[in-house]
Amino acid sequence: MIAEIIVNSNARALNRIFDYVVPKEMEKDIFIGARIYAPFGKGSKLEDGFVIGLKEKSEFANKEIAKIIYDMSIPEEKMNLAKLMARKYFCNISDCIKLMLPPGTAGKQEAGWTKEKTGNFVCLAKDPKEIEEAINIGDIKTDKHKKVLEFLIQNDGMYLPDLESILEISTSVCKTLEKKGYIEIVQKQIERNPFINKKVEKDEPKKLNAEQKKAYNSISRAIEDNEPMRALIYGITGSGKTEIYLQLIAKALELGKTAIMLVPEISLTPQMVDGFLARFGENIAVLHSKLSAGERYDEWQRIETGKAKIVIGARSAIFAPVKNLGIIIIDEEHDMSYKSDMSPRYHAKELAKYITERARCPLVLGSATPDISTYKQGLDNDIALFTLSKRANNASLPEVQIVDLRQELANGNRSMISDVLKKEIKTNLENKKQTILFLNRRGYSTFILCRDCGEPVKCPNCSITLTYHKYENSLKCHYCGIQMPVVKKCPKCNSEKVKYFGTGTQKLEDEIAKLFPEASMIRMDTDTVTKKNSHEEILNKFRNEKIDILIGTQMVVKGHHFPKVTLVGAIAADGALNIEDYNASQKTFQTIVQVAGRAGREEEKGRVIIQTYNPDHYAIMYSAKQDYELFYNAEIGIRKMLKYPPFCDIIMIRFVGKNIEEIQDLSKKVYNNLEKLIDKKNTFVYAPVSSPVDKIKSKYRWRIILKGKLNNKLLNILYKAIDVQVKYDTSITVDINPNSMM
Ligand code: ADP
Ligand code: ZN
Ligand code: ZN
């Protein structure tokens, strides 16, 4: 017997299949997905790898597999998924396999460090009532001590390192409390899920309304009947989608099955997880990138051993090792974060379809602003479409007003805040209501221009203008992250007439502070969100400490629920409209609808002000009306005309390298190959050009774009066309329907 082996390595030369003889005595034990050791290269050093196929004969096999590593294999169906991914997304099988292994174990042959560990677990040593009493009568003097005890009264207990980082205290605080007999620090087996030790009040299922029931009944029948149905639940925020998800998951559990629920990374907050904890308790595992490798490993183990039956996570949770899958739910299915923009460049939605078809269970997509392609499938009856037309708690939709910034300029207002918005903020402050201001650019000034030579000041490594950050008093490149001192002279012509233009969140913060000195505010963007949990800290602060104004980028947009927010202002709503991107209109529409959705989520009616230079653009007009169908009808017509998804796939072949001649040369070669191979009736190839951002981190970037349906035939052609010699630090990558065309 012969095994086809993939070596667990990133080296390009090893990214192929090797044939090895399976020793007779191993034949009954070997299987597809087994992790093995095999002798490799001249010295026959043992390397680890995976069996990806088995066959009877091979002309090439001359060495034998040395050993099977039993506890580190992956199931055959996952191996098949890895193979499919590698081909479809133009990447190494070993990179795909890594996504399916317990986190942290891919590179290690023996995963010793991840073996179960114990850690210092902190819990109360007395009855919570007694401790509350002690606090009330003033027995606890230090604030830090109070903070710890109050936290532990609210929560069952927590590992010491987590407690320290959440409350920002040192170990000595807990040691003192232990000595005084208030708390205990015990050795406990580590299950490092930061969400799970929390106490939340139990919550009961709601009685579904007619529209919810229709979706629930149909999908829950599919769970029962093992039917791989696909469904889209289209409903505005607050229309009760999550309630349906919760009840469908309950149904799956009732039948002894498991569930995976994907949410965008940014909305995976403790607040969101609480809703699930309240319904399902400890049955939940949470996977996301902010967990440490150890935490992720523990969650993985809880899923694999069946302790956790519900997986909630961002994109890569689609690979969670669930058994007997009953449903996959993808919330906010239009979100860009479901597509990876690093290799493997997979789309979680596409893989979810494959996985649910094999597991024979439903796939549920939910959104208030579905992806154009998904909604079309719904209208075409390729997937079941369920519409929720009203808010479940009867909150009304906000009132939206568009402000034309050109008019504002003509009236002599050069600030970032229109007169209308200024007035509304003032009213809100007077009424003690909260306001969110959204601006999708961080920093202070977004570009620096020399008024003598007209050159913007660019990053030395990237062809991108630098952004001025006032608080750090430095210039930053948002592509490569380099920080540089502020320039007073033009680096090109030495003129001193350099001027800072454009606006970011830092400048907005300054302007608001000047206009409303009495207002309290908090800013949220990637500059203020750095530490673990800090994103959540800012939101909690805004919610609990009655901060007047929250200023932020994209991060403030998603799924958060702030009952006291009655005013939302989008400072420059068209930021993304004019860039060359087939998704630009859709992104703009979705963002504005989502921002607007933050206003007036309860009794109080919300107001939304959208400031724009393009008041007549359909994405702006229809988002102001909060009318997805109008937008869909306009957008689908344009996409049909321009042959954009779903009518075609956009295939981007990227050439990246330090030597510009080489990448130009390569792109020409590939282009010539494509010209020869492509069936021009169905596929269109554009000649190679430099990318809009044509240099990042000192590497030049060229590209070829194709429009066509990505089927097997086209895949074969693409593989043939890119099969050209490349030098060591040059790369050719293929990205299907990329998130960004830059
Ligand atoms: P979505 O996920 O569409 O934004 P949710 O499911 O979170 O909406 O529902 C919004 C609010 O309405 C929540 O507070 C939820 O508990 C409540 N809700 C949902 N469905 C019902 C129902 N059938 N009856 C009463 N309240 C409901
Ligand atoms: Zn100059
Ligand atoms: Zn840069």
Side-chain angles (χ1 to χ4, degrees), residues 6 41 129 195 208 219-220 276 285 399 409 418 436 446 480 500 586 650 676 737:
I6 278 281
K129 286 222 176 65
F195 295 133
L208 299 179
I219 299 164
S220 87
F276 282 76
E399 208 173 90
L409 264 180
S418 61
I436 294 180
T446 36
C480 72
Y500 288 63
Q586 167 158 275
I650 306 268
K676 264 180 247 148
N737 299 324

Side-chain angles (χ1 to χ4, degrees), residues 332 334-336 369 438-440 552-559 568 570 572-577 583-598 608 610 619-620 623-624 626 631:
E332 312 268 8
H334 61 275
D335 195 90
M336 296 281 154
T369 54
F438 164 71
L439 175 62
N440 220 3
T553 53
Q554 201 71 15
M555 289 181 181
V556 303
V557 172
K558 304 252 162 94
V568 166
D574 30 25
L577 259 189
N583 258 326
S585 299
Q586 167 158 275
K587 278 184 208 164
T588 302
F589 177 84
Q590 285 161 348
T591 307
I592 298 177
V593 170
Q594 247 174 350
V595 186
R598 296 311 105 217
V608 179
I610 297 172
I620 304 274
S623 61
Q626 310 254 316
F631 172 74

Side-chain angles (χ1 to χ4, degrees), residues 464-670:
I464 272 289
T465 58
L466 293 166
T467 301
Y468 172 49
H469 286 245
K470 191 181 175 197
Y471 303 113
E472 297 92 333
N473 196 32
S474 67
L475 304 179
K476 276 193 207 172
C477 169
H478 289 180
Y479 267 82
C480 72
I482 195 175
Q483 277 207 39
M484 309 211 305
V486 169
V487 294
K488 299 231 166 61
K489 281 184 187 167
C490 169
K492 260 241 160 84
C493 74
N494 250 337
S495 156
E496 288 184 2
K497 285 195 188 153
V498 288
K499 193 159 167 22
Y500 288 63
F501 289 100
T503 50
T505 42
Q506 287 186 353
K507 189 169 190 173
L508 179 60
E509 196 180 15
D510 264 17
E511 278 205 12
I512 294 290
K514 274 186 208 128
L515 284 172
F516 307 103
E518 72 282 11
S520 56
M521 60 185 156
I522 193 162
R523 176 165 60 93
M524 184 160 84
D525 54 33
T526 43
D527 296 314
T528 60
V529 173
T530 43
K531 280 185 292 127
K532 181 172 169 175
N533 290 332
S534 178
H535 169 252
E536 192 55 25
E537 275 164 24
I538 294 176
L539 293 177
N540 281 340
K541 219 168 160 184
F542 178 59
R543 189 179 304 118
N544 302 334
E545 295 179 17
K546 307 192 180 70
I547 307 264
D548 297 318
I549 301 172
L550 170 67
I551 290 177
T553 53
Q554 201 71 15
M555 289 181 181
V556 303
V557 172
K558 304 252 162 94
H560 315 296
H561 185 72
F562 304 110
K564 293 264 165 336
V565 171
T566 54
L567 173 64
V568 166
I571 302 301
D574 30 25
L577 259 189
N578 299 315
I579 54 176
E580 172 208 358
D581 184 344
Y582 70 93
N583 258 326
S585 299
Q586 167 158 275
K587 278 184 208 164
T588 302
F589 177 84
Q590 285 161 348
T591 307
I592 298 177
V593 170
Q594 247 174 350
V595 186
R598 296 311 105 217
R601 301 198 21 120
E602 276 171 17
E603 325 73 54
E604 202 77 40
K605 194 168 170 80
R607 284 155 304 140
V608 179
I609 311 276
I610 297 172
Q611 303 191 152
T612 174
Y613 290 101
N614 298 283
D616 306 323
H617 192 288
Y618 64 97
I620 304 274
M621 270 173 11
Y622 298 149
S623 61
K625 286 198 172 135
Q626 310 254 316
D627 194 326
Y628 177 78
E629 270 112 65
L630 274 179
F631 172 74
Y632 173 84
N633 287 332
E635 177 73 4
I636 198 81
I638 288 170
R639 289 189 175 217
K640 187 164 189 184
M641 204 166 68
L642 297 177
K643 289 213 175 342
Y644 282 161
F647 300 97
C648 260
D649 292 301
I650 306 268
I651 298 149
M652 164 112 74
I653 308 177
R654 270 211 184 92
F655 304 84
V656 178
K658 290 221 155 98
N659 182 332
I660 188 156
E661 277 92 43
E662 194 204 345
I663 63 161
Q664 284 173 346
D665 203 50
L666 271 179
S667 61
K668 265 179 218 137
K669 268 190 202 146
V670 171

Side-chain angles (χ1 to χ4, degrees), residues 408 413-427 429-430 437 507-521 549 551 571 611:
E408 208 61 30
N413 180 3
R414 302 191 145 267
S415 85
M416 301 165 78
I417 320 275
S418 61
D419 289 337
V420 177
L421 183 55
K422 207 183 299 173
K423 215 176 92 221
E424 291 287 350
I425 296 175
K426 190 155 169 276
T427 312
L429 286 173
E430 281 163 10
L437 298 178
K507 189 169 190 173
L508 179 60
E509 196 180 15
D510 264 17
E511 278 205 12
I512 294 290
K514 274 186 208 128
L515 284 172
F516 307 103
E518 72 282 11
S520 56
M521 60 185 156
I549 301 172
I551 290 177
I571 302 301
Q611 303 191 152

Side-chain angles (χ1 to χ4, degrees), residues 288-417:
H288 64 90
S289 66
K290 287 217 187 71
L291 300 180
S292 66
E295 286 169 340
R296 259 181 292 158
Y297 180 83
D298 293 343
E299 290 299 81
W300 199 270
Q301 290 298 314
R302 292 179 58 239
I303 300 163
E304 199 151 43
T305 55
K307 267 197 210 164
K309 297 216 161 33
I310 305 164
V311 180
I312 305 178
R315 180 176 70 223
S316 64
I318 195 73
F319 302 108
V322 291
K323 301 199 175 75
N324 200 11
L325 184 65
I327 190 167
I328 296 182
I329 296 165
I330 304 184
D331 190 29
E332 312 268 8
E333 65 90 33
H334 61 275
D335 195 90
M336 296 281 154
S337 70
Y338 292 127
K339 161 95 164 62
S340 167
D341 39 27
M342 288 177 313
S343 182
R345 294 182 168 74
Y346 67 94
H347 202 308
K349 222 189 310 181
E350 289 166 0
L351 298 184
K353 176 166 184 262
Y354 176 89
I355 292 169
T356 49
E357 274 164 7
R358 259 132 208 98
R360 303 204 57 79
C361 71
L363 168 61
V364 175
L365 309 173
S367 176
T369 54
D371 186 76
I372 292 290
S373 306
T374 313
Y375 196 67
K376 182 168 191 301
Q377 289 175 34
L379 294 182
D380 294 350
N381 283 325
D382 289 338
I383 69 180
L385 173 61
F386 299 100
T387 305
L388 307 181
S389 55
K390 44 188 177 298
R391 281 190 162 175
N393 57 0
N394 282 326
S396 52
L397 277 173
E399 208 173 90
V400 184
Q401 186 178 351
I402 296 182
V403 172
D404 186 348
L405 286 175
R406 296 167 307 184
Q407 195 57 46
E408 208 61 30
L409 264 180
N411 295 345
N413 180 3
R414 302 191 145 267
S415 85
M416 301 165 78
I417 320 275

